[in-house]
Amino acid sequence: MSPKSDTGELRVLGIETSCDETAAAVVLRRGPGNGEILSNLVRTQLDDHAAFGGVVPEIAARAHVEVLDVLIKQAMDEAGLIWGDLDGVAATAGPGLLGGLLVGLMTGKAIAVAHGLPILAINHLEAHALTVGLCEGLEPPYLLLLVSGGHTQLLTVRDVGAYDRLGTTLDDALGEAFDKTAKLLGLPYPGGPEVEQCARKGDETRFDLPRPMMGRAEAHFSFAGLKTAVRRRAEEVAPLTDKDIADLCASFQRAVCDVMIDRTATAMALYEKTLGRNAERRLIVAGGVAANQAIRTSLEHLCAEKNYTLHVPPATLCTDNGAMIAWAGAERLVRGLVDDFTVPALARWPLDPNAAPAIGAGVKA
Ligand code: KG4
Ligand code: ZN
């Protein structure tokens, strides 16, 4: 398929089912950095998984099946569109839980086949990376810090489809570290907001916890050791009082903030080195952990010091949603990066640092 004219308007349906949120949205792309969300519906499965202290893949896949068709219909109705008004269907094809991905991608393909529309198989990470174009009209290049329950990455976003991974986690994702820390302290799932709230009442200097990876030349992360250190301290002072829990949360969050500042500063230097004069000093933070105020404040200070502007999409677009999938789909569609109907769902699908995509149909980032 040839690229659409960049002046033409595109209406794209976006479907997201990679984890524990079922989401459908319709986005109108008027031009570069000019998008409008016509509808954006998210059905969270939190209650389905809460009893297990984490996401259960089989439960997630079944829950997606139960609500996805109704949610898509609602998204179309709210947007005031009929199928014939659409220019394409975008569905998350990875990375994520395979069962859920299959539900969303197969549904997207079925709609596209039935209505003669192109299918856009979206990399979930790419969608997070491009969201700031939808909400702020910001176009690459910029530096991205993606921090969610499944991912912790620092990426140079050079262009749509062109990403350099500067850093990633060697073990747990940051959101996962928050969730596991919460669990071992007896706090409910998802743990991030709980830890943040408890930390507000705590003494961040009481427990001297490790700051893994600090000072390393590469911008990688590691959180497993930090989590284990919290466990050891908790065992030492058990039985835990509310004060102990608050102090452990505050000390943990302080360590995380110190790590985030150090790792992001390292990534800034790498970003500037690779892009040279083209390195626009802009840091985008996306993913559920971007909601954490303490981390955000730390990054604000860092950005002020390094002369960067900080951009954090609103919470509804930072966490998993269909609008970011639809927008990424529109960005690919306008470039002719349409997929074949044989495109598979992929549990693992990194935005490979060195694999800049060839231009053409079916090519993925
Ligand atoms: O992006 P997201 O909604 O879902 C994916 O993981 O894809 O991120 C959810 C993660 C969970 O691990 C949750 O505990 C964490 O984001 N989170 C937070 C906060 N709010 C959500 N972590 C720290 N502080 C928060 N305020
Ligand atoms: Zn996500």
Side-chain angles (χ1 to χ4, degrees), residues 50-318:
F52 304 94
V55 178
V56 184
E58 184 60 20
I59 293 177
R62 284 166 194 265
H64 289 307
V65 172
E66 276 167 25
V67 300
L68 184 59
D69 54 350
V70 175
L71 212 61
I72 290 172
K73 177 157 189 334
Q74 280 176 3
M76 291 295 289
D77 288 348
E78 237 179 67
L81 300 184
I82 57 170
W83 301 116
D85 295 329
L86 291 176
D87 297 286
V89 180
T92 306
L97 301 173
L98 203 51
L101 291 169
L102 283 169
V103 172
L105 184 59
M106 293 309 290
T107 305
K109 284 182 183 178
I111 294 171
V113 168
H115 301 284
L117 296 166
I119 183 78
L120 302 130
I122 301 301
N123 182 311
H124 182 90
L125 305 177
E126 178 172 45
H128 275 302
L130 300 178
T131 302
V132 77
L134 172 61
C135 58
E136 283 191 49
L138 228 60
E139 294 192 80
Y142 44 75
L143 177 64
L144 175 79
L145 170 63
L146 176 58
V147 274
S148 71
H151 308 285
T152 303
Q153 300 207 342
L154 278 154
L155 294 159
T156 293
V157 180
R158 277 188 282 122
D159 201 351
V160 174
Y163 310 94
D164 298 324
R165 201 194 65 193
L166 303 174
T168 189
T169 179
L170 304 183
D171 38 61
D172 293 347
L174 182 53
E176 192 182 357
F178 268 95
D179 293 338
K180 287 179 175 172
T181 298
K183 194 173 179 183
L184 72 91
L185 296 176
L187 300 171
Y189 175 84
E194 300 285 336
V195 170
E196 182 176 22
Q197 210 182 329
C198 281
R200 287 206 186 96
K201 295 168 276 174
D203 173 5
E204 65 179 26
T205 62
R206 177 166 162 207
F207 296 97
D208 185 20
L209 297 170
R211 269 81 171 145
M213 309 298 282
M214 261 177 71
R216 300 273 186 108
E218 287 183 322
H220 294 318
F221 300 90
S222 167
F223 295 108
L226 175 56
K227 173 199 65 194
T228 306
V230 174
R231 185 192 304 279
R232 287 222 187 86
R233 300 297 144 80
E235 284 166 0
E236 281 163 20
V237 292
L240 299 176
T241 63
D242 286 353
K243 171 89 174 83
D244 294 331
I245 292 173
D247 291 349
L248 280 164
C249 286
S251 302
F252 167 80
Q253 193 170 264
R254 184 66 256 154
V256 165
C257 287
D258 289 350
V259 166
M260 297 318 284
I261 292 171
D262 177 78
R263 306 289 66 211
T264 308
T266 301
M268 285 171 168
L270 294 170
Y271 168 74
E272 289 162 29
K273 198 169 155 198
T274 31
L275 288 192
R277 293 161 63 96
N278 294 328
E280 298 259 2
R281 292 176 171 236
R282 303 186 292 203
L283 174 67
I284 319 299
V285 189
V289 186
N292 186 290
Q293 197 51 53
I295 295 176
R296 219 189 262 217
T297 303
S298 296
L299 294 171
E300 274 166 13
H301 290 150
L302 174 67
C303 284
E305 184 192 318
K306 303 281 183 188
N307 207 16
Y308 274 61
T309 53
L310 179 66
H311 306 263
V312 187
T316 50
L317 295 179
C318 252

